[in-house]
Amino acid sequence: MITLLNIRYLALQVLIFLSGCVLEKNQRMAGKQLMRAVRVAQFGGPEVLKVETNVPVPVPTQSQVLVEVKAAGINPVDTYIRSGTYAIKPPLPFTPGSDVAGIVKDVGANVTKFKPGDRVFVIKNVSGGYAEYTTVEENMMGHLTTSLSFQQGAGIGIACYTAFRAVCIKGREKVKPGNSVLIHGASGAVGLACVQIAVSRGLKVYGTAGTQEGIDLVLKQGATAVFNHREEGYADKIVEATGGVGPDLIVEMLANVNLETDLKIINRRGLIVVVGNRGSIEINPRLAMQKESLVTGMILMNATPEEWAEMHAEISEGLKAGWLAPHICKEYKLEEAPVAHDEVINNQGTLGKRVFVL
C-alpha cells in the first residue's frame, strides 16, 4: 500500500538523483572539471578501449598548455601501445593518442608562445589525445592556420613531422632537384606528407599504393608516377620509370615486406629510410654491397633539438604556403575507438589520416 510517506520518500530520492545529475553536468560545464576520454585499463585488443565520462580534466604545469581537443589523430603506433607490444608501455590506466588539434583553454605561468583562444595543433601530448582535454608541453605544438580544419590539424603532428624528418633530415644528402624518391605506401597519412614535401623540394616523386583511388590521390599531390604494389612486376616498372637506375631515395613504410625489393631497385649509393615495420625479414646483405646503398631507420621522437627547430619552421611555412595539407580519410566518434583501431591496421588501402572528432 502506497502511503503519503512513501510518496514523499520516493520524491526525495528522485530529487537527490536529479541533483546529482545536475551537479555532474555543472562540473562538466563550469571549467570542465570532468571530461569524456577513451581509457585503457588493461593491454589487449581494440575491445579494451572504453569511453569514460568522469575522467578528471588534466591541470597544466607551468610549462604546459591545456588544449580543448576538437579532433584527435589515430595512428598505427596507438594500436601497438594499446596491445602492450610496443617498446614503451605506459602505466595503466591511460588515455591513448598523441597528435590532436583544438583550442587553447589555459596556459602555465612560463608559457610565452600561446594564449587562451589560439587554434593549435599538437605533435605529442602529456595526458592523452583521445579526450576532450589534454595537456601539452609548449615545444610540442604549433599554431593552426585558419585555412585548415581541426580535422586536418590533427593530421599534422605525427604524419607531417615524421615525413619531413624522413625526407629532408635523414634523407638530406639525396634531396636535390632532379633526384628521385620512391614513397612506399604513398596514399597513407605519412606517405602523402612525404609526397607533398618531396614535390616542394623539386624531387621526382614516385609512389606506391594498393588501390586505384589511392593512386589517383597520390598523383593529385604532384607525384610523377604511382604504381600498384599489388600488381606483379611493379618494382620493374619503377626502375624503368627512373631510366633504369632506380630511385636515389626510398622512404619505406613496411620494411618487413618491402626492404629486400628496395635493396634490389635502389640506385647506386642510394639511401633507404625505414619509417615503418611490422615484423621480421630475411635479406641478402650482398644486395647492399653491390649498390653500396645505405639503410637507416628513424623514430620521430629521437629528433634532436636542432631538428625540432628545423621541422617547426619548415612545416609552419608549408602549412601557411599551402604546399603541405593533410588529407582526411575517415572521421570517428570516441565511442567508435575499437572500430577505428581495427581499421587503421586492417584496410585495403588508406587514403590519408583517420581522426576522432569531438
Side-chain angles (χ1 to χ4, degrees):
M1 182 175 179
I2 300 177
T3 65
L4 181 60
L5 183 60
N6 294 141
I7 294 174
R8 287 178 176 175
Y9 176 80
L10 291 172
L12 179 61
Q13 295 303 309
V14 170
L15 181 60
I16 292 173
F17 173 78
L18 292 176
S19 297
C21 293
V22 171
L23 177 61
E24 181 174 342
K25 181 178 179 181
N26 287 341
Q27 286 178 322
R28 288 171 55 81
M29 294 301 291
K32 280 284 185 178
Q33 296 173 352
L34 297 176
M35 67 176 184
R36 294 167 60 245
V38 174
R39 301 288 282 170
V40 174
Q42 63 182 42
F43 296 113
E47 70 279 358
V48 303
L49 299 166
K50 305 291 185 182
V51 175
E52 297 182 10
T53 60
N54 60 347
V55 179
V57 172
V59 178
T61 66
Q62 291 189 333
S63 64
Q64 293 176 354
V65 176
L66 178 65
V67 176
E68 180 181 4
V69 178
K70 296 297 184 180
I74 304 163
N75 301 288
V77 69
D78 298 344
T79 71
Y80 312 151
I81 295 172
R82 180 216 69 224
S83 67
T85 60
Y86 196 60
I88 300 174
K89 294 183 181 180
L92 296 169
F94 70 95
T95 296
S98 180
D99 45 357
V100 307
I103 299 173
V104 173
K105 299 303 290 185
D106 194 11
V107 298
N110 296 335
V111 174
T112 60
K113 298 178 182 178
F114 302 94
K115 65 183 185 303
D118 285 351
R119 300 174 85 249
V120 295
F121 68 86
V122 172
I123 306 154
K124 178 185 179 183
N125 64 70
V126 175
S127 57
Y130 299 1
E132 291 181 318
Y133 288 85
T134 190
T135 47
V136 189
E137 292 292 340
E138 184 179 24
N139 63 350
M140 284 288 109
M141 56 193 296
H143 289 94
L144 180 63
T145 174
T146 55
S147 62
L148 297 177
S149 67
F150 286 117
Q151 290 91 322
Q152 289 176 296
I156 295 171
I158 297 299
C160 294
Y161 279 72
T162 297
F164 188 89
R165 188 163 188 252
V167 174
C168 295
I169 296 179
K170 303 299 286 188
R172 193 186 305 276
E173 66 177 78
K174 301 299 179 182
V175 180
K176 304 173 184 177
N179 271 8
S180 61
V181 57
L182 169 65
I183 311 297
H184 270 302
S187 65
V190 176
L192 289 173
C194 283
V195 172
Q196 294 173 355
I197 291 167
V199 168
S200 76
R201 293 318 194 254
L203 294 173
K204 294 179 181 178
V205 182
Y206 301 94
T208 66
T211 65
Q212 187 58 50
E213 190 176 4
I215 290 172
D216 293 340
L217 177 59
V218 178
L219 287 171
K220 288 180 181 178
Q221 312 307 309
T224 300
V226 186
F227 307 89
N228 190 329
H229 61 73
R230 301 183 193 278
E231 293 182 357
E232 190 74 24
Y234 82 92
D236 295 331
K237 294 179 181 179
I238 294 172
V239 174
E240 182 181 352
T242 58
V245 298
D248 300 295
L249 172 66
I250 296 178
V251 179
E252 180 53 67
M253 309 294 176
L254 197 59
N256 58 296
V257 173
N258 300 317
L259 185 56
E260 184 166 2
T261 298
D262 296 340
L263 288 167
K264 290 177 180 178
I265 68 174
I266 191 77
N267 196 359
R268 286 177 61 83
R269 300 181 180 85
L271 173 63
I272 301 168
V273 180
V274 176
V275 173
N277 181 68
R278 296 181 187 173
S280 302
I281 185 173
E282 182 177 331
I283 62 171
N284 184 351
R286 188 169 294 279
L287 294 171
M289 295 165 60
Q290 291 170 346
K291 297 287 188 72
E292 295 190 356
S293 56
L294 297 176
V295 179
T296 185
M298 65 145 280
I299 293 178
L300 176 60
M301 295 307 163
N302 285 339
T304 65
E306 293 76 18
E307 290 174 347
W308 280 114
E310 180 181 356
M311 288 188 287
H312 283 317
E314 294 292 337
I315 288 172
S316 177
E317 175 58 32
L319 296 171
K320 291 177 182 177
W323 52 258
L324 185 59
H327 179 84
I328 302 305
C329 169
K330 187 174 180 179
E331 300 177 2
Y332 302 84
K333 298 177 181 179
L334 285 183
E335 289 73 15
E336 298 175 297
V339 175
H341 268 219
D342 177 61
E343 293 183 351
V344 77
I345 296 296
N346 303 309
N347 58 75
Q348 293 302 308
T350 299
L351 302 173
K353 185 81 169 185
R354 299 173 188 270
V355 300
F356 291 112
V357 177
L358 289 81

